């Protein structure tokens, strides 16, 4: 399912009498999320990302603009009609219900429009196919090996093994468990009885309304057309859906517990399972990892990526954590003040930020920003030349010979102990922290505009608290206009 937002605006009305101004939460937003992709809505607090997500969900109506799921205009559809699965940061599980019931909850009153099928004939046919041609021996073996102490068969374990192996409901597992496996004759008897029951049922259906059944046990009318019916899901159908999704998010062992008996990460998996059990068209995640500790956050975000890939469901993930979005999203949409600042693949946006906001928002440690100049075809910071043979691009800049601008350098854009004596930036190294193969230097400089200058260099470099001259990598340097903070592109002939 492709999601498209066209010219979306959302204004929260203020109260003039109380002097409360209108809030423009989202402004002229145009976004396209590709089918089957994981998209990250990313930005600082208050930038409008949750409002955007809630408009996609149908929990909030846009003031203007349209939202499409593929070709369908869903702008004014209520959440129940949209076919969405929504996960909040606080999980919102029902504390008094078991995990199983929490997941099953969205299905209990759900009416589905399906083709009428004879579940009785389907079950009997399944029974025959599992027993026929000596296949019952495999079931017998599975039951006999379901022991905890190598002696007595444990019924609960046997049922669980049957459910998992044959992907069947508990009631059907009980039927399998209760059969007499002592001789081939008794199994043949069961098979024959099932065949008889199938014939009886088919005759009953024919007699009642003249319908027949097709190979998959769907009712066919006199014109061989399937019959539609709107009905609730059966207990067995719900059971299979719940167990399937529990397996997908890897909480199948926790189904009987109450939410408070689970870890935060497990609770979030339950919330995701509950959102997925109705097989929604899109999955919407609102800061799903914020309540987890650092280690669990990383683990759970990888889980979300795996689940998303396995299901192929188009997913929108809201977060203020750029590292989180960069690590799992196919595409990111960086927002600020209700506006889209940039979109693209995380690595492309990182390598090619269109404005200072995006350059500063993406990257750990963050980009270092200095006040600098372009003059004599070179880039300077505080009269130190850091790059020469530079030509500015873009019609507003090509003919300029001098320009004050922001000079932003990524932490990994500095080179230590370079022999080049004509270029470089002198920095005072105040702190050094080693993290495995890299070391991060915390430095200072008069013209710096960011909080600290952070440089990441090789962990083996011999460096101490002192002043050094660093050269820079041209593809890690970005220039930005002092007025509108837009990127100023340049060519560098000496590359
Ligand atoms: P956070 O990460 O803090 O949740 P966000 O990026 O999700 O922030 P939104 O919650 O979408 O931001 O809010 C965008 C703007 O709209 C904010 O200025 C917020 O104060 C305002 N806003 C959100 N909901 C309402 C509301 N119901 N009434 C008035 N203003 C609102």
């Amino acid at each position: 399912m492709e999601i498209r937002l066209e010219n979306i605006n959302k204004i929260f009305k203020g109260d003039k009498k109380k002097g409360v101004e209108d809030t423009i939460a989202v402004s002229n937003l145009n976004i396209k999320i590709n089918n089957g992709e994981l998209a990250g809505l990313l930005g600082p607090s208050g930038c409008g990302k949750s409002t955007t997500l809630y408009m996609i969900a149908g929990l909030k109506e846009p003031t203007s603009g349209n939202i499409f799921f593929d070709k369908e205009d869903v702008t004014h559809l209520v959440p129940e009609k949209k076919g969405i699965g929504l996960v909040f940061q606080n999980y919102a599980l029902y504390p008094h219900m078991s995990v199983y019931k929490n997941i099953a909850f969205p299905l209990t009153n759900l009416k589905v429009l399906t083709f009428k099928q004879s579940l009785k004939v389907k079950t009997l046919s399944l029974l025959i196919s599992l027993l026929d041609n000596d296949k019952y021996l495999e079931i017998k073996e599975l039951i006999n090996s379901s022991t905890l102490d190598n002696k007595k068969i444990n019924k609960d374990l046997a049922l669980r093994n049957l459910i998992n192996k044959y992907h069947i409901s508990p009631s059907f597992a009980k039927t399998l468990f209760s059969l007499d496996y002592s001789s081939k004759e008794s199994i043949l008897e069961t098979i024959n009885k099932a065949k008889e029951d199938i014939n009886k049922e088919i005759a009953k259906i024919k007699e009642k309304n003249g319908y027949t059944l097709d190979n998959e046990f769907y009712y066919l009318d006199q014109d061989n057309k399937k019959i539609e019916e709107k009905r609730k899901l059966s207990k067995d159908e719900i059971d299979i859906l719940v167990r399937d999704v529990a397996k997908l998010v890897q909480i199948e062992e926790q189904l009987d517990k109450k939410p408070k008996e689970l870890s935060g990460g497990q609770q979030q998996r339950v919330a995701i399972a509950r959102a997925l059990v109705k097989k929604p068209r899109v999955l919407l995640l609102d800061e799903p990892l914020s309540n987890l500790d650092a280690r669990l956050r990383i683990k759970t975000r990888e889980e979300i990526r795996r689940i998303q890939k396995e299901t192929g469901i188009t997913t929108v993930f809201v977060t203020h954590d750029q590292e989180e979005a960069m690590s799992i999203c196919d595409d990111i949409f960086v927002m600020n003040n209700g506006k889209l600042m940039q979109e693209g693949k995380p690595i492309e946006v990182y390598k090619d930020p269109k404005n200072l906001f995006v350059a500063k928002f993406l990257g750990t440690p963050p980009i270092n920003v200095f006040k600098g100049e372009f003059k004599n075809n070179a880039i300077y910071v505080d009269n130190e030349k850091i790059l020469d043979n530079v030509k500015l691009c873009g019609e507003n800049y090509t003919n300029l010979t001098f320009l004050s601008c922001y000079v932003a350098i990524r932490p990994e854009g500095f080179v230590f102990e370079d022999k080049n004596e004509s270029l470089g930036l002198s920095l005072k190294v105040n702190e050094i922290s080693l993290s495995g193969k890299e070391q991060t230097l915390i430095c200072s400089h008069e013209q710096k505009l960011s909080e600290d200058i952070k440089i990441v260099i090789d962990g083996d470099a011999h460096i101490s608290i002192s002043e050094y001259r660093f050269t820079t990598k041209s593809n890690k340097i970005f220039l930005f206009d002092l007025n509108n903070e837009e990127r100023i592109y340049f060519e560098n002939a000496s590359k």
Side-chain angles (χ1 to χ4, degrees):
M1 181 76 46
E2 176 188 281
I3 305 172
R4 260 181 2 267
L5 274 59
E6 291 184 0
N7 306 319
I8 291 290
N9 289 285
K10 178 67 184 176
I11 300 170
F12 290 107
K13 282 269 166 237
D15 185 341
K16 285 217 172 81
K17 280 186 212 144
K18 291 184 184 155
V20 180
E21 301 273 325
D22 289 355
T23 305
I24 303 175
V26 174
S27 172
N28 198 30
L29 192 63
N30 286 285
I31 278 182
K32 181 160 98 68
I33 296 163
N34 296 324
N35 178 31
E37 288 201 344
L38 174 57
L41 289 184
L42 177 63
S45 180
C47 73
K49 50 196 188 300
S50 295
T51 304
T52 303
L53 192 83
Y54 294 156
M55 287 191 285
I56 298 174
L59 294 169
K60 284 193 171 129
E61 276 221 36
T63 309
S64 62
N66 294 82
I67 300 172
F68 294 89
F69 286 179
D70 283 342
K71 290 203 174 97
E72 186 187 350
D73 187 337
V74 296
T75 318
H76 304 292
L77 279 188
V78 292
E80 304 80 67
K81 294 262 163 77
K82 270 196 163 148
I84 49 129
L86 191 54
V87 176
F88 297 98
Q89 81 183 64
N90 61 2
Y91 326 133
L93 300 175
Y94 299 110
H96 58 285
M97 287 186 191
S98 66
V99 167
Y100 184 100
K101 287 208 168 133
N102 263 286
I103 300 175
F105 188 76
L107 301 176
T108 43
N109 286 317
L110 184 72
K111 287 243 172 93
V112 287
L113 187 63
T114 60
F115 291 117
K116 196 169 165 65
Q117 199 182 23
S118 170
L119 296 176
K120 184 165 180 188
V121 177
K122 191 179 171 185
T123 312
L124 288 165
S125 299
L126 178 63
L127 179 69
I128 295 170
S129 70
L130 288 177
L131 300 177
D132 227 356
N133 296 326
D134 286 343
K135 273 192 268 155
Y136 75 92
L137 292 170
E138 196 182 87
I139 299 174
K140 184 178 170 182
E141 171 60 27
L142 184 68
I143 294 173
N144 286 342
S145 64
S146 298
T147 62
L148 294 175
D149 51 7
N150 274 331
K151 283 185 204 138
K152 249 179 89 192
I153 293 170
N154 181 293
K155 185 175 174 186
D156 287 341
L157 180 63
L159 292 178
R160 219 169 38 238
N161 287 341
L162 288 167
I163 291 169
N164 289 340
K165 171 135 193 196
Y166 297 107
H167 195 237
I168 53 178
S169 66
S171 60
F172 192 64
K174 277 186 195 150
T175 307
L176 282 185
F177 183 79
S178 63
L179 294 181
D180 176 6
Y181 293 92
S182 58
S183 67
K184 189 165 179 163
E185 284 68 39
S186 63
I187 292 296
L188 282 177
E189 218 172 279
T190 308
I191 292 175
N192 287 334
K193 171 85 174 49
K195 283 182 181 164
E196 255 173 50
D197 287 349
I198 288 178
N199 288 335
K200 271 192 210 156
E201 183 66 14
I202 290 175
K204 205 167 113 191
I205 291 167
K206 178 93 183 162
E207 194 184 295
K208 202 169 165 201
N209 8 41
Y211 294 150
T212 51
L213 296 184
D214 72 4
N215 290 341
E216 292 170 80
F217 325 109
Y218 286 107
Y219 283 59
L220 296 177
D221 66 10
Q222 286 79 356
D223 300 327
N224 271 348
K225 281 217 179 88
K226 285 185 184 172
I227 320 282
E228 274 193 346
E229 67 168 352
K230 202 165 190 184
R231 62 169 176 88
K232 283 189 178 182
L233 292 170
S234 73
K235 237 173 131 185
D236 281 357
E237 284 172 314
I238 290 179
D239 191 82
I240 287 179
L241 288 170
V242 170
R243 285 178 199 279
D244 275 355
V245 79
K247 198 166 180 184
L248 174 74
V249 305
Q250 294 175 353
I251 40 140
E252 67 264 48
E253 304 294 327
Q254 320 291 342
L255 288 171
D256 297 328
K257 289 189 180 165
K258 292 270 166 62
K260 67 170 188 307
E261 296 172 286
L262 302 181
S263 72
Q266 286 170 330
Q267 289 187 43
Q268 193 54 293
R269 284 164 196 240
V270 177
I272 293 170
R274 191 180 52 182
L276 286 175
V277 77
K278 268 167 81 175
K279 304 210 180 298
R281 299 197 278 180
V282 302
L283 178 64
L284 307 174
L285 307 167
D286 188 13
E287 302 256 7
L289 309 173
S290 355
N291 283 352
L292 306 178
D293 65 42
R295 198 182 52 83
L296 255 183
R297 281 178 84 117
I298 294 180
K299 200 163 160 243
T300 314
R301 81 186 184 202
E302 279 157 11
E303 270 299 285
I304 288 178
R305 181 53 165 166
R306 177 188 64 76
I307 294 164
Q308 191 274 332
K309 275 203 162 154
E310 259 176 53
T311 54
I313 187 169
T314 311
T315 301
V316 188
F317 180 97
V318 159
T319 178
H320 61 270
D321 183 333
Q322 52 92 24
E323 209 180 325
E324 205 163 275
M326 302 264 291
S327 67
I328 61 166
C329 294
D330 293 302
D331 273 325
I332 51 169
F333 297 85
V334 186
M335 294 180 68
N336 190 29
N337 289 330
K339 295 198 180 86
L340 180 65
M341 303 306 280
Q342 193 168 343
E343 64 176 276
K345 308 238 160 299
I347 190 69
E348 286 166 12
V349 180
Y350 179 80
K351 281 186 173 170
D352 189 14
K354 301 255 178 294
N355 50 59
L356 184 61
F357 175 82
V358 173
K360 279 165 59 173
F361 198 73
L362 299 185
T364 328
I367 200 161
N368 302 295
V369 186
F370 302 88
K371 191 95 178 282
E373 279 120 31
F374 164 78
K375 63 184 176 196
N376 307 326
N377 291 326
I379 298 170
Y380 289 81
V381 172
D382 201 21
N383 285 324
E384 286 190 286
K385 197 198 281 186
I386 62 163
L387 197 65
D388 56 10
N389 294 318
V390 169
K391 187 172 165 301
L392 298 187
C393 312
E395 61 176 316
N396 295 335
Y397 306 104
T398 29
N399 295 323
L400 297 183
T401 52
F402 177 87
L403 177 71
S404 284
C405 56
Y406 293 114
V407 176
I409 311 173
R410 290 272 181 222
E412 66 278 20
F414 293 82
V415 183
F416 176 58
E417 285 186 323
D418 192 338
K419 297 281 176 294
N420 190 333
E421 300 215 331
S422 63
L423 297 174
L425 184 62
S426 305
L427 295 170
K428 236 174 106 190
V429 177
N430 303 320
E431 264 178 65
I432 302 166
S433 67
L434 183 65
S435 59
K437 60 184 185 352
E438 287 169 344
Q439 45 191 335
T440 303
L441 317 178
I442 300 180
C443 314
S444 51
H445 187 278
E446 293 247 318
Q447 291 299 321
K448 65 133 185 160
L449 297 173
S450 6
E451 225 166 83
D452 270 317
I453 312 236
K454 287 196 177 141
I455 296 181
V456 178
I457 61 166
D458 195 281
D460 291 333
H462 293 288
I463 196 154
S464 53
I465 307 288
S466 177
E467 182 154 338
Y468 293 94
R469 199 173 153 83
F470 294 86
T471 54
T472 50
K473 300 177 189 167
S474 64
N475 65 339
K476 299 287 174 184
I477 302 176
F478 308 119
L479 305 184
F480 297 97
D481 193 299
L482 285 188
N483 297 316
N484 58 17
E485 302 192 348
E486 291 294 317
R487 175 92 171 267
I488 305 167
Y489 289 88
F490 61 85
E491 285 168 8
N492 175 223
S494 60
K495 254 196 292 191

